[in-house]
Amino acid sequence: AQKITQTQPGMFVQEKEAVTLDCTYDTSDPSYGLFWYKQPSSGEMIFLIYQGSYDQQNATEGRYSLNFQKARKSANLVISASQLGDSAMYFCAMRTDSWGKLQFGAGTQVVVTP
Amino acid sequence: GAVVSQHPSRVICKSGTSVKIECRSLDFQATTMFWYRQFPKKSLMLMATSNEGSKATYEQGVEKDKFLINHASLTLSTLTVTSAHPEDSSFYICSAIRGVGGSNQPQHFGDGTRLSIL
């Protein structure tokens, strides 16, 4: 069975510091995709970054980078130089079929403090 | 690009009313759209996969007759909550994938609809 796990329910981080959000997954499919989304308190889901199972390099998008460790089945999100606007819920998700269906983790609430 | 519009953003109505929520991809065609439900402080729960021109595929435990989904065009999917009751109150959010999907295409989400049934 496919499963995606986020073990950190919440965390505080100081402004300008880096933060790492954990995500582990389990699948027997050799081809899969991993996504990170941000959900502010207003509710919209914002796509942040994608990592494919066959990608050789870790994905990066601005201040977001993905620490992809395939053997350990982990895809941790690193946010560098945190900003107050980064306070939100962050979800890790795994594509589970060819239509693009996603399975989401439980999410991690991040609060950035001045 | 990749803008998805969801309407209405908030609905408050009486028990027994049917409520229709629209999800539109504004600047791309979407063969596949998804409908989710989210409870406070919880993750997104997939309700159904909506494919243009065919019947929606519902997840286990989701009542097809309660949550009617229609995907009539490549840019519009609708979710109708029929005869809504207080337990149907929730945050509903849709998403769409550009084109015919694929392994690296992200889902682009609407802003969600907060449904409150009195």
Side-chain angles (χ1 to χ4, degrees), chain A residues 31-35 37 39 41-47 50 89 91 95 97-107 109, chain B residues 31-32 34 36 38 41-44 46 49 51 59 91 93 97 100-112 114:
Chain A
S31 176
Y32 52 89
L34 298 158
F35 301 79
Y37 285 85
Q39 187 179 40
S41 57
S42 49
E44 72 270 28
M45 291 284 286
I46 303 166
F47 166 67
Y50 164 82
M89 184 75 103
F91 292 100
R95 176 183 54 82
D97 68 7
S98 58
W99 289 106
K101 188 164 80 171
L102 294 178
Q103 183 173 352
F104 284 86
Q109 180 72 51
Chain B
T31 304
T32 304
F34 302 88
Y36 295 87
Q38 186 179 30
K41 306 294 185 185
K42 297 294 185 182
S43 187
L44 278 70
L46 180 66
T49 302
N51 294 299
E59 295 299 302
F91 185 66
I93 191 165
I97 294 182
V100 294
S103 61
N104 64 345
Q105 291 292 325
Q107 291 185 18
H108 300 283
F109 285 81
D111 288 345
R114 296 193 185 278

Side-chain angles (χ1 to χ4, degrees), chain B:
Chain B
V3 177
V4 175
S5 172
Q6 187 171 340
H7 179 80
S9 58
R10 188 175 186 95
V11 180
I12 303 173
C13 58
K14 293 181 179 179
S15 184
T17 306
S18 291
V19 178
K20 179 185 279 189
I21 303 170
E22 292 187 349
C23 181
R24 293 180 185 273
S25 56
L26 297 184
D27 56 351
F28 65 97
Q29 293 186 329
T31 304
T32 304
M33 292 185 174
F34 302 88
W35 287 95
Y36 295 87
R37 182 174 181 175
Q38 186 179 30
F39 292 102
K41 306 294 185 185
K42 297 294 185 182
S43 187
L44 278 70
M45 182 185 74
L46 180 66
M47 299 174 66
T49 302
S50 171
N51 294 299
E52 187 268 336
S54 63
K55 290 184 179 180
T57 302
Y58 289 81
E59 295 299 302
Q60 191 172 8
V62 178
E63 297 177 60
K64 300 179 183 180
D65 295 331
K66 177 71 167 178
F67 300 101
L68 299 178
I69 292 172
N70 183 273
H71 194 151
S73 76
L74 286 172
T75 59
L76 174 65
S77 176
T78 60
L79 167 68
T80 301
V81 184
T82 61
S83 187
H85 292 285
E87 59 267 27
D88 299 321
S89 297
S90 193
F91 185 66
Y92 294 88
I93 191 165
C94 71
S95 69
I97 294 182
R98 185 191 297 271
V100 294
S103 61
N104 64 345
Q105 291 292 325
Q107 291 185 18
H108 300 283
F109 285 81
D111 288 345
T113 299
R114 296 193 185 278
L115 176 63
S116 300
I117 308 298
L118 305 177

